[in-house]
Amino acid sequence: HKYADEWERYLGIEIAKQDELDSLVAGMQFTLSDVVGECYTFKPQTIRERSSSVCTEETNDGDSQKSVPKYKVDQYWWSRKVKRDFVAKSDSYPYLLVMIGTGVSVLRVDGPRKHERISGSTIGGGTYWGLCRLLTDVEDFESVLSLAERGDPSKVDMMVGDIYGKESDALDKLGLTANIVASSFGKLVAKTDPADGLKQEDLARALLLMVTNNIGQVAYLNAQLHNTKRIYFVGNFLRHNNLSQRRLAYAINYWSKGKMEALFLEHEGYYGALGSFLLHQGISNDRDGKVAQSKDGPFSIRDDGKTSKRGKKQRSMSL
């Protein structure tokens, strides 16, 4: 949009401007209606998968022959990818679309071309990356995600078990388990030297979980407020970020007591471009998820790059 006039003046290319959110939703609805296996979520591992994820450590008495199970921290076994079939038809609305970029925007989608931004948060991918630049020496976002994969957040976060004990009767009364986070970064409060014993990967992992947990709770509360059964998460923050996807899947299941799922999409990075093209060509989905076709078919592209109604011989592109 910013350089549309320059493109036309110097290159002879007219930019057919489309609204960003309109394009995103249009591309998403089109893909959900026509692409099999587009939607997925994460579920707990099977018993066999769990057993293969167990490692051992020496017991406190120093007997190297004895070992006890030591499970991966904060994974909660939510790493099994499960496909979810979905068709964008009338009974699928309304649903929430949570876009996680630099910040967070929450949309309620009520039907084709019917959506409204209902909420958002300033704590998003930009927050995570900005703080990581202060806390670590990593130079790019992909590298900090790789760093976080190796981190142990239990060295940073105060867990419920740190407050009540890991086998306290109080946990049953509270309905909590010992490995639930009670306070993000809370364990550093009582340390004389907060950095003692910590690695950069521990900070990166704890910070990632803190930001992701906040996004998940904002999404769930909005789903409750607006009575939506489905929550879709998209955005650059989730690209190549399995840790956050799995955490969101666990969090939405936890807060909803198993009644809701966090849903993700295979090609979400292309929805804006696809939707822009569809809107420019006048192609839309009706209430039953069917593609509205012109006489020349759903993809009627003229030599001049525009529909026949315009009839203007020039190059154009959607943006």
Side-chain angles (χ1 to χ4, degrees):
H1 287 224
K2 184 177 180 180
Y3 299 104
D5 293 340
E6 282 76 9
W7 277 60
E8 186 169 9
R9 182 182 304 114
Y10 296 110
L11 301 177
I13 298 176
E14 178 187 352
I15 302 296
K17 300 177 183 179
Q18 302 292 345
D19 180 80
E20 178 184 5
L21 298 183
D22 287 346
S23 299
L24 174 66
V25 175
M28 173 182 168
Q29 291 175 322
F30 181 88
T31 307
L32 285 174
S33 298
D34 289 80
V35 178
V36 177
E38 176 68 15
C39 184
Y40 65 93
T41 187
F42 287 96
K43 288 294 184 181
Q45 294 177 356
T46 62
I47 298 298
R48 181 176 297 179
E49 289 170 330
R50 291 188 186 192
S51 63
S52 67
S53 299
V54 177
C55 58
T56 58
E57 63 177 0
E58 291 186 359
T59 53
N60 292 330
D61 58 12
D63 189 346
S64 60
Q65 301 303 315
K66 285 185 177 182
S67 62
V68 295
K70 181 182 179 183
Y71 299 98
K72 294 180 180 180
V73 179
D74 79 69
Q75 284 300 301
Y76 300 105
W77 311 116
W78 288 73
S79 58
R80 181 166 57 94
K81 189 175 181 179
V82 179
K83 291 292 184 179
R84 286 286 181 261
D85 291 330
F86 176 87
V87 178
K89 54 186 180 181
S90 57
D91 61 1
S92 65
Y93 302 104
Y95 61 79
L96 283 193
L97 179 58
V98 181
M99 299 178 295
I100 313 172
T102 307
V104 180
S105 289
V106 181
L107 272 65
R108 187 188 69 239
V109 181
D110 297 310
R113 302 298 303 275
K114 295 181 180 179
H115 56 269
E116 177 186 0
R117 187 183 188 278
I118 57 173
S119 185
S121 173
T122 60
I123 302 175
T127 309
Y128 178 65
W129 179 222
L131 289 174
C132 276
R133 294 195 66 190
L134 291 174
L135 297 173
T136 72
D137 55 14
V138 177
E139 295 296 332
D140 60 82
F141 188 71
E142 289 75 16
S143 297
V144 81
L145 290 179
S146 298
L147 184 70
E149 288 272 4
R150 307 192 300 270
D152 181 354
S154 66
K155 295 179 180 180
V156 180
D157 296 336
M158 181 175 292
M159 315 302 286
V160 170
D162 295 326
I163 300 173
Y164 294 98
K166 295 183 179 180
E167 298 181 0
S168 172
D169 294 337
L171 297 179
D172 292 331
K173 295 179 181 179
L174 293 171
L176 299 173
T177 57
N179 58 357
I180 296 293
V181 177
S183 175
S184 296
F185 284 71
K187 195 168 284 185
L188 307 186
V189 174
K191 296 178 65 173
T192 303
D193 180 5
D196 182 41
L198 291 182
K199 298 179 180 179
Q200 290 188 4
E201 49 259 46
D202 302 328
L203 296 171
R205 180 66 161 263
L207 182 60
L208 183 64
L209 294 183
M210 182 183 75
V211 171
T212 303
N213 282 337
N214 183 75
I215 294 170
Q217 192 158 37
V218 168
Y220 172 71
L221 292 175
N222 273 283
Q224 292 295 99
L225 182 63
H226 294 274
N227 194 29
T228 57
K229 297 180 180 179
R230 291 185 177 90
I231 308 177
Y232 293 90
F233 293 89
V234 300
N236 289 334
F237 177 69
L238 296 178
R239 203 159 301 157
H240 310 300
N241 184 358
N242 284 330
L243 284 176
S244 288
Q245 290 189 29
R246 294 170 183 176
R247 187 64 171 187
L248 286 169
Y250 167 79
I252 297 301
N253 178 274
Y254 176 82
W255 284 313
S256 69
K257 294 180 170 54
K259 295 180 180 179
M260 300 178 66
E261 293 180 331
L263 300 171
F264 309 96
L265 302 160
E266 295 284 3
H267 301 97
E268 62 84 22
Y270 302 94
Y271 291 154
L274 175 60
S276 179
F277 168 77
L278 295 172
L279 294 177
H280 182 55
Q281 296 298 320
I283 302 170
S284 63
N285 292 70
D286 59 25
R287 289 290 295 181
D288 293 322
K290 298 178 181 178
V291 180
Q293 301 186 14
S294 67
K295 293 180 180 180
D296 299 305
F299 294 99
S300 176
I301 307 176
R302 311 295 179 177
D303 291 339
D304 59 6
K306 294 199 174 189
T307 59
S308 58
K309 291 182 180 179
R310 295 180 181 267
K312 188 177 181 180
K313 296 288 184 178
Q314 60 180 343
R315 293 177 293 169
S316 67
M317 65 181 292
S318 296
L319 182 64

